[in-house]
Amino acid sequence: RARYVDSGGGCRRADVLIDGEKVEMLGHIPPELAAQSEVVDVTGCMLFPGFIDAHTHFDLDVCSTTTADDFESGSKSAIRGGTTTVIDFACPNKGESLAYGLDLWHKKADGKCYCDYGFHMTIDDWNESIESELDAMFDAGITSFKMYLTYPSMMIGDGAVYRALKALKARGGIAGVHCENAGVIDARIAELKASGLGADVVSHPISRPDYLEAEAVSRLLRIAQAADAPVIIVHTTNRASLDEIAAAAAAESKGRKFEQQHRQRRERQRFDIVMTQNRVRRVLAVEEDQRKHHRAHRHEQRNAWELRLAAQRGRSVQQACRADCQKNGQIIVSVVRSENTNEHTAEPIRAKLP
């Protein structure tokens, strides 16, 4: 029983019915269902869904030390703070397989974690062998990966990042990337050590000015643009980096708008082409009808002309016969028309004049 529930879409008064680990109902719970349930009264409190911490480093050996929390202590702390799911990073070393790294992290977490957990996979090496393992990682439920543009023992080159992003995109995966300019930072660290400030804590921000992170963020975004792949940028620490992200997001939005306009123009052009083709077809159809009509008319004219010519020939034969008969003292009785021709026969029936 709750007074206020935050469900992600806003805060409202409601009760929550839970069956096992699943939320079955949110709102007013019918009395008959409430009577059959164990009631936990949290009136006066805000009831939130369990939080998800998608970036933890439990029991991680790094820089000659190990992180303070392992999966047992870290997950207990998570539960205490309302986090019910953590996603940690499995981290094989260079030269080790992804499968080895995943198995190692299962050994660190299985049976020791007090909340739900999952893994990202770190890619600190890129070659044909690592790429061939990606499908097995997806089969094991690993769909998110991490890469580094800094730390020599973990970073991979720009070309490798590009190829890895393309390979992950082809499988529906995504990568988070730690962005810093490793070369310049290492050079500045060497300068600080030479000046005697290398062991002073103040050297850390001096060796890592904002613009060196921003440069790496910008470089990653251009690599992702070339690969046409989404990326997550982890550990963003300053406004300069945020400005690079905002500029890239604005450019992408502008690019999408341009692509949409270009797509609309292409669609209008295709429509105009189709309409023009239809008009041309109609014009050609009309012209063909006119040609057919003209041919039919010419055929009729030719037939009429042939009939007139045949009639004229018939009259000419008849006149010649009449003149011959008059000369010989005969008269024309009739002129017979042939059954197998349109022309008149030239064989009149003659009779003697008295």
Side-chain angles (χ1 to χ4, degrees):
R1 181 179 291 115
R3 182 58 61 88
Y4 292 102
V5 174
D6 190 330
S7 61
C11 188
R12 62 192 179 100
R13 297 187 63 167
D15 293 330
V16 181
L17 179 65
I18 300 174
D19 185 4
E21 296 187 358
K22 185 176 181 181
V23 175
E24 293 288 349
M25 187 177 297
L26 182 63
H28 174 69
I29 308 300
E32 58 273 16
L33 283 178
Q36 301 171 16
S37 306
E38 178 186 355
V39 178
V40 179
D41 193 343
V42 293
T43 301
C45 299
M46 296 286 291
L47 182 61
F48 290 89
F51 302 128
I52 300 173
D53 188 342
H55 193 131
T56 64
H57 290 292
F58 293 153
D59 199 6
L60 173 64
D61 296 324
V62 60
C63 296
S64 302
T65 187
T66 303
T67 53
D69 280 313
D70 59 13
F71 279 88
E72 182 177 3
S73 63
S75 61
K76 284 182 178 179
S77 298
I79 291 291
R80 182 73 176 176
T83 296
T84 58
T85 302
V86 296
I87 308 178
D88 204 78
F89 291 85
C91 297
N93 295 317
K94 280 186 182 293
E96 296 175 347
S97 68
L98 302 183
Y100 174 81
L102 181 59
D103 180 65
L104 178 60
W105 250 253
H106 271 296
K107 290 177 180 177
K108 292 183 178 187
D110 293 354
K112 303 173 186 177
C113 203
Y114 284 81
C115 64
D116 293 335
Y117 62 95
F119 300 123
H120 309 290
M121 177 56 64
T122 299
I123 297 176
D124 54 16
D125 223 348
W126 185 256
N127 48 51
E128 292 182 359
S129 177
I130 294 295
E131 185 173 3
S132 69
E133 291 189 82
L134 291 181
D135 290 333
M137 290 296 104
F138 278 82
D139 292 340
I142 308 299
T143 60
S144 49
F145 298 77
K146 186 178 182 181
M147 293 182 286
Y148 291 82
L149 298 185
T150 188
Y151 307 142
S153 63
M154 305 180 79
M155 63 185 292
I156 59 177
D158 291 352
V161 171
Y162 169 77
R163 289 188 290 272
L165 289 177
K166 294 193 71 173
L168 294 178
K169 181 191 175 185
R171 294 165 172 82
I174 194 167
V177 183
H178 183 137
C179 295
E180 292 183 85
N181 188 309
V184 178
I185 289 174
D186 289 344
R188 291 174 68 89
I189 290 173
E191 291 173 350
L192 288 167
K193 286 181 177 179
S195 69
L197 293 176
D200 196 322
V201 69
V202 74
S203 298
H204 188 81
I206 294 175
S207 66
R208 293 166 171 81
D210 292 354
Y211 54 81
L212 291 183
E213 179 184 308
E215 182 277 331
V217 167
S218 175
R219 179 158 40 96
L220 171 68
L221 293 172
R222 298 301 177 268
I223 295 171
Q225 182 181 14
D228 191 24
V231 289
I232 298 171
I233 299 173
V234 301
H235 308 315
T236 303
T237 66
N238 58 74
R239 180 170 292 279
S241 295
L242 183 60
D243 289 344
E244 293 289 344
I245 296 170
E252 183 182 11
S253 177
K254 184 177 180 180
R256 284 197 300 265
K257 184 177 180 181
F258 174 79
E259 288 178 1
Q260 182 181 10
Q261 293 173 345
H262 185 58
R263 199 161 44 244
Q264 291 173 346
R265 283 196 296 271
R266 288 202 306 267
E267 290 174 356
R268 286 196 297 268
Q269 290 172 351
R270 282 195 293 267
F271 177 78
D272 292 341
I273 290 172
V274 170
M275 293 300 295
T276 301
Q277 289 174 340
N278 290 338
R279 285 195 294 269
V280 169
R281 291 190 186 100
R282 288 196 295 270
V283 169
L284 293 175
V286 170
E287 291 179 350
E288 180 62 23
D289 289 341
Q290 290 175 345
R291 283 194 293 270
K292 289 180 180 179
H293 178 74
H294 182 63
R295 285 195 296 268
H297 182 65
R298 288 175 57 190
H299 184 68
E300 292 176 356
Q301 287 181 328
R302 186 182 298 108
N303 289 342
W305 178 79
E306 289 176 350
L307 290 174
R308 286 196 299 272
L309 181 60
Q312 289 174 358
R313 287 176 179 170
R315 284 194 297 272
S316 298
V317 170
Q318 193 175 30
Q319 290 172 356
C321 290
R322 188 182 301 275
D324 183 61
C325 289
Q326 289 176 352
K327 180 179 179 180
N328 296 314
Q330 297 174 331
I331 62 171
I332 302 289
V333 176
S334 64
V335 176
V336 181
R337 186 178 184 86
S338 171
E339 294 180 356
N340 299 321
T341 180
N342 289 329
E343 296 181 358
H344 290 77
T345 180
E347 297 180 358
I349 300 174
R350 297 176 173 83
K352 279 286 187 179
L353 291 172

